Amino acid sequence: MIVYHGTTLEIYKMIKSERVIKSADSVNSPYSCIGDRKTTDGYVYVTSIIKGVNGAIDYASRNFRQRMQNSGRIKEMNNSPVEIVVIRLEIDDRFLEKDMDDEFVDTSYRFKGNLYLTNETAVGFRFPNYQKCCDFYDNLTAEKIADFKWKKILSE
């Protein structure tokens, strides 16, 4: 199954360097122990279908927002550039389970443990501020997604 994982550019650089998407825990997840946004430790979260790209961009932008809030810089958010990356992965659906932590259960999945990179591709985005990022994914279409320039992660 083709699925997508959205993250910030900062985290993507670590993923690329270490060749692994680490499962969520209290150290690496900005949502750990945060009320209705709480993620379950030990999983990598992904989305599927065309809406998966939308979802991955949405999750990455919320990740950016939460990290700004956690660092006490939330007031800077609309004056700070948003740099995010969407990673496209192919995972045997036997290893995916529905993400019961998410309200969008029909397209949200989670993978138990770390995801080690082999032949994945990614596309990056840079927006002048958080609102421009939100506007982009709100208006994203299948045609626009088809024009994305996906690059192999490990050969960049």
Side-chain angles (χ1 to χ4, degrees):
M1 172 187 287
I2 301 295
V3 293
Y4 304 91
H5 177 79
T7 191
T8 62
L9 179 61
E10 175 186 356
I11 300 301
Y12 171 74
K13 288 177 180 178
M14 289 190 297
I15 289 170
K16 183 179 173 186
S17 171
E18 297 173 7
R19 298 180 176 221
V20 62
I21 303 173
K22 293 182 180 175
S23 60
D25 64 24
S26 61
V27 174
N28 68 16
S29 174
Y31 301 112
S32 187
C33 302
I34 297 180
D36 63 344
R37 295 184 200 160
K38 184 182 184 312
T39 56
T40 301
D41 286 354
Y43 291 92
V44 172
Y45 290 84
V46 296
T47 62
S48 68
I49 322 173
I50 288 299
K51 289 288 187 191
V53 175
N54 264 39
I57 293 170
D58 179 28
Y59 294 139
S61 68
R62 288 192 278 155
N63 183 307
F64 166 81
R65 184 183 192 289
Q66 192 63 50
R67 288 179 190 281
M68 292 290 281
Q69 184 172 339
N70 291 354
S71 68
R73 297 174 35 224
I74 195 69
K75 291 181 180 177
E76 299 172 31
M77 188 174 68
N78 279 324
N79 297 318
S80 298
V82 179
E83 297 175 312
I84 58 176
V85 176
V86 174
I87 302 170
R88 182 171 53 191
L89 307 129
E90 188 166 350
I91 302 174
D92 186 324
D93 58 358
R94 293 176 298 156
F95 299 109
L96 294 173
E97 59 184 68
K98 291 287 187 183
D99 175 7
M100 303 313 287
D101 297 333
D102 197 307
E103 61 188 278
F104 304 108
V105 175
D106 59 330
T107 62
S108 297
Y109 296 90
R110 60 189 187 181
F111 176 90
K112 181 82 170 147
N114 295 330
L115 271 171
Y116 294 90
L117 303 181
T118 55
N119 196 30
E120 291 72 19
T121 57
V123 62
F125 303 92
R126 186 175 198 280
F127 304 97
N129 58 49
Y130 184 73
Q131 185 57 54
K132 294 289 185 188
C133 178
C134 295
D135 294 344
F136 176 78
Y137 71 72
D138 283 345
N139 297 304
L140 196 56
T141 63
E143 293 79 24
K144 289 179 183 175
I145 292 169
D147 289 338
F148 288 172
K149 306 293 186 229
W150 297 90
K151 294 182 179 181
K152 287 192 177 277
I153 294 173
L154 298 182
S155 64
E156 291 180 328

